[in-house]
C-alpha cells in the first residue's frame, strides 16, 4: 500500500484523489493544501517546494502534481534529485505550457498546425502592429495567467486596452512582459489529453471545456466554467490528434527534454483541421472532473507506469460509455473580483456513481463549509446522453446555495 501526495487545491485535485482512493494499492492520500472537500489536508502551499519535499520524504509519498505553478518552479526536478517518485513533467519540459512563445516556436519548427502569430516584448511595436492588422485577433500573455491572459480583440480600441493592461499597467506581472498576437481561428474546440512516460502515450477520452464566463460563450475567458466528456468529434480527427501527440512526445524526447505526465492540447477544428491553441503540462480543470467520472481503470497503475517508463506494458484505459457533464459553480464576479467566506448550504446532497460534487474554492472550519475562491464547486452528472447528464448535474446544482453563487446555464446543452 502506498501513500499519495496530491499537490493542489482545485476540483481537478479533488477528482484525481477521489479516483485514486478507489485503488486497493493506495493507502493514505494527502492534499497540499487541498480544500473543504478533500482530506487529509496538509497546510503547505503549492509553491513551497522545499516543504512539499520534506513532507513527501517523511511520509514516503508518491507525489502527483495538479497545477502548473509548482511545475514551473521545478518541483519534479527537485523530487527526482532526491530519488522520490513524482508524476509530472520537469521544469524544462513544462515549457510547453509555461511559455506560450516557446510552445508556438516549437509548433512552428515541427509543423504542428497552429494559428499564425507574432511575438512582441514592448508596447511600441505591439501597438504599431495592432493598428494595421486585420481583425479579429487574439492577444495572449506569454507566461502563466490561470487561463485569464487571453483576449479576443475585434478592433484597435480593444487591442489598445489590452496592450495597456499588459505592458503599461503590468496587470499580468512578468507573464505579460512578452505577448503573442495571433490570427483568430473560427471553429469548434475540444481538449485532447494524453498520459505519457516520455516515450509512449495513452490517450484519455476526449473532452471539452467552456472557457467564457457567460452563457453562449460571451464575456471574459476563465479557467473553465464547465466541461463534458466525450467531445463529439469523429474518429478521423481523433486519429490525427493521437498521431500529433505521439509526434510531440517524440520531438520532446529528441530535444533531450522528455515529457512525463498529462499533456493537454487545447484544440480548435478549423476547416476540418485540428489546430493547437495551447499546450498545458497537466490535466485540465474542469475537464478532469468529467473524465475521472468515466474512467474505469485503476489510475494509480497508470500514473506509476508513467514515472517508471513502463506505459508501453499497459493495456488501453477502460471507459464508461456514458456521458459526463461538469457544471462549475462560481462566486459572482469571477474571473475578476469576488467575495469569499460565504456559507455554502445544501452541499451534503446524497451522491452516487452518477452524480458527484468536486470541491475547488471551498474551506471547512468546524464543519462549516464556506467559499474560498472564484470557482467553488464542480457538480458532475453521468448519464446515457449529454443532455441527460447535464440535467442531472443542474438538478444537483440547484440544491446548493450561497449568497453570490453564479453558474452558466448552458453547460452540456450547446
Ligand atoms: P488558450 O489559453 O491559448 O487556449 O486560449 C484560451 C481560449 O481563447 C481558447 O480556448 C479559445 O476559446 C480562445 N482562443 C485562443 N486562441 C485563439 C485563436 N487563435 N483563435 C480563436 N480563439 C482563440
Ligand atoms: N480548462 C482549461 C485548463 O485547465 O487550462
Amino acid at each position: 500500500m502506498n501513500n499519495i501526495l496530491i499537490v493542489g487545491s482545485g476540483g481537478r485535485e479533488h477528482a484525481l484523489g477521489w479516483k485514486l482512493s478507489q485503488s486497493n494499492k493506495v493507502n493514505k492520500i494527502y492534499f497540499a493544501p487541498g480544500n473543504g472537500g478533500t482530506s487529509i489536508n496538509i497546510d503547505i502551499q503549492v509553491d513551497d517546494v522545499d516543504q512539499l519535499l520534506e513532507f513527501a520524504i517523511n511520509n514516503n509519498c508518491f507525489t502527483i502534481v495538479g497545477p502548473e505553478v509548482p511545475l514551473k518552479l521545478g518541483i519534479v526536478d527537485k523530487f527526482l534529485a532526491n530519488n522520490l517518485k513524482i508524476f509530472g513533467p520537469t521544469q524544462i519540459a513544462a515549457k510547453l505550457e509555461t511559455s506560450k512563445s516557446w510552445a508556438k516556436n516549437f509548433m512552428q519548427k515541427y509543423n504542428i498546425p497552429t494559428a499564425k502569430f507574432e511575438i512582441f516584448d514592448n508596447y511600441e511595436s505591439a501597438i504599431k502592429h495592432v493598428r494595421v492588422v486585420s481583425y479579429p485577433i487574439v492577444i495572449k500573455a506569454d507566461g502563466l495567467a490561470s487561463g485569464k491572459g487571453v483576449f479576443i480583440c475585434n478592433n484597435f480600441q480593444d487591442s489598445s486596452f489590452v496592450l495597456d493592461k499588459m505592458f503599461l499597467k503590468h496587470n499580468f506581472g512578468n507573464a505579460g512582459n512578452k505577448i503573442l498576437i495571433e490570427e483568430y481561428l473560427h471553429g469548434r474546440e475540444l481538449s485532447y489529453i494524453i498520459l505519457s512516460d516520455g516515450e509512449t502515450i495513452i490517450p484519455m477520452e476526449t473532452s471539452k471545456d467552456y472557457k467564457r464566463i457567460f452563457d453562449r460563450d460571451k464575456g471574459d475567458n476563465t479557467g473553465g466554467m464547465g466541461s463534458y466528456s466525450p467531445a463529439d468529434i469523429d474518429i478521423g480527427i481523433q486519429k490525427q490528434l493521437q498521431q500529433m501527440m505521439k509526434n510531440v512526445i517524440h520531438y520532446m524526447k529528441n530535444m533531450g527534454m522528455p515529457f512525463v505526465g498529462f499533456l493537454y492540447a487545447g484544440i480548435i477544428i478549423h476547416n476540418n483541421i485540428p489546430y493547437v491553441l495551447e499546450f498545458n503540462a497537466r490535466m485540465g480543470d474542469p475537464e478532469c472532473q468529467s473524465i475521472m467520472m468515466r474512467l474505469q481503470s485503476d489510475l494509480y497503475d497508470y500514473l506509476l507506469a508513467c514515472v517508471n517508463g513502463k506505459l508501453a506494458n499497459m493495456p488501453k484505459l477502460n471507459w464508461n460509455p456514458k456521458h459526463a457533464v461538469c457544471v462549475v459553480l462560481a462566486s459572482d464576479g469571477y474571473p475578476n473580483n469576488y467575495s469569499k467566506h460565504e456559507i455554502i448550504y445544501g452541499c451534503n446532497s446524497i451522491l452516487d456513481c452518477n452524480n458527484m460534487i468536486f470541491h475547488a474554492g471551498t474551506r471547512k472550519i468546524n464543519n462549516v463549509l464556506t467559499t474560498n475562491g472564484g470557482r467553488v464547486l464542480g457538480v458532475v452528472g453521468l448519464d446515457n446522453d449529454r443532455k441527460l447528464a447535464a440535467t442531472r448535474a443542474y438538478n444537483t446544482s440547484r440544491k446548493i446555495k450561497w449568497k453570490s453563487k453564479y453558474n452558466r446555464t448552458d453547460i452540456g446543452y450547446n
Side-chain angles (χ1 to χ4, degrees):
M1 294 280 272
N2 300 277
N3 292 340
I4 304 273
L5 169 62
I6 298 182
V7 177
S9 61
R12 166 184 50 211
E13 287 76 26
H14 189 184
L16 289 172
W18 170 77
K19 192 74 230 169
L20 287 164
S21 70
Q22 294 164 16
S23 169
N24 56 17
K25 292 156 200 139
V26 169
N27 185 20
K28 286 186 177 156
I29 304 183
Y30 301 101
F31 295 83
N35 59 42
T38 58
S39 71
I40 311 160
N41 289 349
I42 308 300
D43 190 15
I44 306 176
Q45 297 306 304
V46 301
D47 58 358
D48 195 344
V49 174
D50 289 334
Q51 288 249 34
L52 291 167
L53 177 72
E54 197 183 319
F55 183 86
I57 292 174
N58 291 341
N59 294 276
N60 195 18
C61 291
F62 171 27
T63 302
I64 291 146
V65 189
E68 58 279 17
V69 168
L71 297 173
K72 186 182 158 98
L73 294 174
I75 188 171
V76 172
D77 311 62
K78 201 152 196 176
F79 276 47
L80 291 178
N82 283 274
N83 289 319
L84 288 177
K85 282 204 188 301
I86 182 161
F87 177 85
T90 56
Q91 189 174 40
I92 190 161
K95 272 191 129 179
L96 277 174
E97 171 167 12
T98 58
S99 170
K100 281 190 186 281
S101 58
W102 191 89
K104 288 293 264 192
N105 286 326
F106 172 91
M107 288 187 256
Q108 197 171 45
K109 182 168 170 194
Y110 292 111
N111 290 321
I112 295 165
T114 190
K116 291 198 194 84
F117 68 102
E118 292 197 46
I119 298 169
F120 297 89
D121 63 6
N122 66 80
Y123 178 79
E124 289 70 28
S125 54
I127 199 89
K128 215 160 135 190
H129 179 77
V130 299
R131 274 185 210 285
V132 295
V133 81
S134 50
Y135 283 92
I137 58 166
V138 188
I139 302 183
K140 302 183 176 183
D142 181 55
L144 297 179
S146 307
K148 297 163 212 158
V150 175
F151 299 89
I152 292 155
C153 301
N154 289 308
N155 49 47
F156 172 74
Q157 215 178 359
D158 291 352
S159 303
S160 141
F161 180 73
V162 172
L163 293 179
D164 190 65
K165 284 215 274 199
M166 300 253 186
F167 284 119
L168 306 181
K169 297 208 174 82
H170 299 286
N171 285 6
F172 294 90
N174 288 341
N177 286 349
K178 201 194 263 185
I179 63 156
L180 279 88
I181 302 187
E182 285 186 14
E183 67 171 327
Y184 178 87
L185 299 175
H186 294 271
R188 275 190 313 123
E189 288 188 49
L190 75 130
S191 305
Y192 192 75
I193 303 168
I194 57 134
L195 272 171
S196 177
D197 62 358
E199 195 159 346
T200 301
I201 72 162
I202 294 192
M204 310 298 284
E205 271 279 19
T206 56
S207 58
K208 176 193 151 58
D209 80 337
Y210 292 78
K211 293 254 162 52
R212 307 291 200 90
I213 185 70
F214 300 127
D215 283 11
R216 288 182 297 284
D217 294 333
K218 301 272 188 279
D220 288 347
N221 268 320
T222 69
M225 295 302 293
S227 67
Y228 61 75
S229 174
D232 34 31
I233 52 158
D234 62 61
I235 194 76
I237 299 267
Q238 279 192 55
K239 283 197 173 134
Q240 283 182 53
L241 289 171
Q242 188 168 348
Q243 188 56 52
M244 184 272 289
M245 291 302 244
K246 269 190 191 159
N247 294 344
V248 170
I249 293 298
H250 174 75
Y251 301 139
M252 291 294 281
K253 185 173 175 238
N254 280 359
M255 287 167 76
M257 41 208 289
F259 188 100
V260 176
F262 287 117
L263 180 60
Y264 166 133
I267 302 291
I268 195 159
I269 318 259
H270 177 71
N271 293 338
N272 222 23
I273 296 170
Y275 285 73
V276 177
L277 292 179
E278 64 164 348
F279 285 115
N280 292 319
R282 52 169 175 82
M283 242 298 174
D285 186 342
E287 288 93 329
C288 187
Q289 292 85 314
S290 287
I291 291 172
M292 287 303 123
M293 281 291 275
R294 299 188 52 222
L295 181 62
Q296 290 175 325
S297 308
D298 186 335
L299 181 64
Y300 175 80
D301 290 339
Y302 284 80
L303 301 188
L304 196 65
C306 283
V307 304
N308 289 336
K310 296 269 166 46
L311 207 52
N313 300 343
M314 300 296 290
K316 275 187 184 168
L317 291 162
N318 287 329
W319 298 98
N320 188 329
K322 286 185 177 175
H323 292 244
V325 172
C326 173
V327 176
V328 168
L329 309 184
S331 296
D332 196 23
Y334 172 79
N336 301 306
N337 300 328
Y338 53 83
S339 27
K340 280 186 182 178
H341 313 310
E342 295 178 2
I343 297 179
I344 303 171
Y345 302 94
C347 209
N348 42 6
S349 23
I350 296 163
L351 299 173
D352 54 40
C353 59
N354 291 319
N355 213 196
M356 274 296 299
I357 300 174
F358 293 116
H359 288 232
T362 68
R363 195 163 66 158
K364 200 182 262 175
I365 297 175
N366 298 332
N367 249 358
V368 178
L369 191 69
T370 58
T371 63
N372 194 36
R375 292 190 293 170
V376 177
L377 298 164
V379 182
V380 190
L382 194 67
D383 216 314
N384 291 335
D385 71 36
R386 191 177 350 125
K387 288 203 166 68
L388 288 172
T391 302
R392 201 181 268 279
Y394 276 110
N395 283 344
T396 302
S397 299
R398 269 189 288 276
K399 295 180 190 149
I400 302 171
K401 297 199 166 52
W402 69 90
K403 195 163 156 239
S404 65
K405 175 184 155 197
Y406 166 78
N407 58 267
R408 279 181 61 156
T409 64
D410 61 346
I411 305 296
Y413 293 118
N414 66 37

